Amino acid sequence: MGERTATVKAAQAAEGGRLTALLTSAMAFSMLQLFLLGAFGLRLVDELGVSPTVLGLTTTIGFGTAAVLSPVGGRMVDRAGPRRSLVVLLLVSAAALALIGAAPGPGFLLAAVALGGLPQALANPATNKAILAAVPPARRGSVTGMKQSGVQLGAFAAGLPLAAFAGCVGWRGAVWTAAAAAALAALWARRALPADPPAKAAAPGASLVPRGAIAWLAVFSLFLGCGIASVNTYVALFGAQKLGMGPTAAAALVAVLGVSGIAGRVGWSKAAGPGRAEWLPGALAAGAVPAACLLAAALYARPLVWVAVVAVGAFAVSGNAVSMVLVMQRAAPGRAGQDSALVAAGFFAGFAVGPPLFGLLAQAGRYGPGWLLVAAEFTAAAAVATAWAVRERRLGPRTETPA
């Protein structure tokens, strides 16, 4: 009997590992196009005549489209189910990547990036819905942290293996390879996930406006996204322009940020159990405030920039994963997909708004005030999250709700 039980547990662990790998891959592919555009930016400028301004617009268009589509995407996930939604996510990711690889000029490129906003809008609601359907409550935090780390894994894939591959086959060949991988992942999702129940109509009176805890988390995510996006977009340029770092060392700042973010997302999400999770967003955002100040201080003590990017990854980047754990704990019955999407919409809006604001200061060479602006954004995120946690404490304990 004991041997049979051990065999069953081993099979369940293997199945859980495959599900986690699939969801992590889905998160990576949902964002891969934007990381590839950053990694291949110089090639795009040279070959397509893309100006630096237009290259910067790709981030705003991608995340702006995702923010607009997220509420509708969340409703779609709740109606269609996680398997159908993940297959659509991966197929559209493949299509957007293929079109980017075929782009003859800037206009076509921006249209392909806009199409890639749909997978971003579906990513969090579809993967969260899959976790609620297939993962026991005790393991949801750790699985959520792992799948959220897929975003950083996408950045790693764009910056190292795909960038190296582009040296052999050209940037278009590398992007088309990524498109083919996304299509294969769609086939994997269709075969690996259990069938969805029949699609159902939206609940009468279902609102696209976040309410209660979801509204608080959406506002928190807005401020958090503003700060994270500014660091992601400008820290390498800051290292090159202001700290005298070479291209390789400056790019390594982004890699360190990504690795730190992976570790933080996995660790903090695993720790985000009921009763503790409510306080983590505010604490993590507060921890990111001195990290942003260290970036400003690096103008006078350059080694501090490495400490700063590690801290931003461990605290700020991790805050988004913890907010998704909270969504799954607090989502209204039947609204896990839409509530995830509404919180993600706030995060995406921050990514669309933050870099242009920082860019006004960076263009004038005023990186010090720019990093203090990021510190202010993290402070606002901490204030919102802490105010919500205090409110939740007064209202009393809550229990997890079904998908």
Side-chain angles (χ1 to χ4, degrees):
M1 180 67 71
E3 184 176 342
R4 183 176 180 181
T5 301
T7 302
V8 171
K9 287 184 177 179
Q12 291 174 339
E15 183 66 25
R18 287 190 290 269
L19 175 64
T20 302
L22 173 60
L23 299 181
T24 302
S25 298
M27 293 297 295
F29 280 116
S30 73
M31 298 277 289
L32 185 58
Q33 61 158 352
L34 295 175
F35 293 128
L36 285 172
L37 290 171
F40 300 156
L42 182 59
R43 293 178 172 91
L44 296 172
V45 170
D46 292 341
E47 185 173 329
L48 298 185
V50 175
S51 70
T53 300
V54 171
L55 188 62
L57 277 177
T58 59
T59 298
T60 300
I61 288 176
F63 283 106
T65 302
V68 171
L69 293 179
S70 282
V72 177
R75 177 174 286 185
M76 171 189 153
V77 171
D78 282 330
R79 293 178 61 185
R83 186 174 79 160
R84 296 187 189 98
S85 301
L86 282 168
V87 170
V88 169
L89 180 162
L90 291 163
L91 288 176
V92 176
S93 293
L97 288 166
L99 290 172
I100 288 172
F108 195 100
L109 178 69
L110 292 177
V113 170
L115 176 63
L118 177 58
Q120 291 175 248
L122 294 175
N124 280 299
T127 53
N128 286 356
K129 194 86 170 179
I131 289 171
L132 285 169
V135 178
R139 295 189 58 244
R140 287 174 184 169
S142 59
V143 173
T144 300
M146 283 299 301
K147 68 98 174 173
Q148 290 294 128
S149 73
V151 175
Q152 276 67 45
L153 289 176
F156 175 83
L160 283 180
L162 286 171
F165 191 50
C168 301
V169 300
W171 73 270
R172 294 183 189 273
V175 173
W176 284 331
T177 300
L184 289 174
L187 181 61
W188 178 21
R190 180 169 177 78
R191 291 186 173 182
L193 294 174
D196 293 315
K200 55 186 179 180
S207 174
L208 295 178
V209 178
R211 302 179 186 279
I214 302 304
W216 285 91
L217 289 171
V219 176
F220 160 76
S221 297
L222 170 67
F223 287 115
L224 189 73
C226 283
I228 293 173
S230 297
V231 178
N232 282 346
T233 304
Y234 287 102
V235 71
L237 193 62
F238 169 65
Q241 290 185 343
K242 292 296 185 180
L243 305 185
M245 301 173 74
T248 302
L253 290 172
V254 179
V256 170
L257 177 66
V259 172
S260 176
I262 291 172
R265 285 186 168 197
V266 173
W268 289 117
S269 295
K270 189 173 183 179
R276 181 188 299 168
E278 293 82 356
W279 298 98
L280 281 179
L284 292 174
V289 174
C293 294
L294 284 176
L295 285 170
L299 288 166
Y300 309 99
R302 293 178 183 179
L304 290 178
V305 71
W306 297 102
V307 180
V309 293
V310 169
V312 170
F315 293 104
V317 174
S318 305
N320 174 245
V322 172
S323 69
M324 286 299 152
V325 174
L326 279 162
V327 169
M328 286 187 280
Q329 292 175 356
R330 299 304 182 91
R335 281 181 54 102
Q338 186 159 331
D339 286 350
S340 298
L342 291 171
V343 173
F347 194 61
F348 294 148
F351 264 69
V353 171
L357 292 177
F358 190 102
L360 295 174
L361 295 169
Q363 188 169 352
R366 303 182 63 197
Y367 278 96
W371 298 129
L372 294 180
L373 172 63
V374 170
E377 290 162 348
F378 288 151
T379 299
V384 170
T386 302
W388 171 71
V390 170
R391 174 180 176 273
E392 290 293 294
R393 174 60 63 89
R394 288 202 302 264
L395 293 175
R398 308 291 179 86
T399 57
E400 279 193 63
T401 59

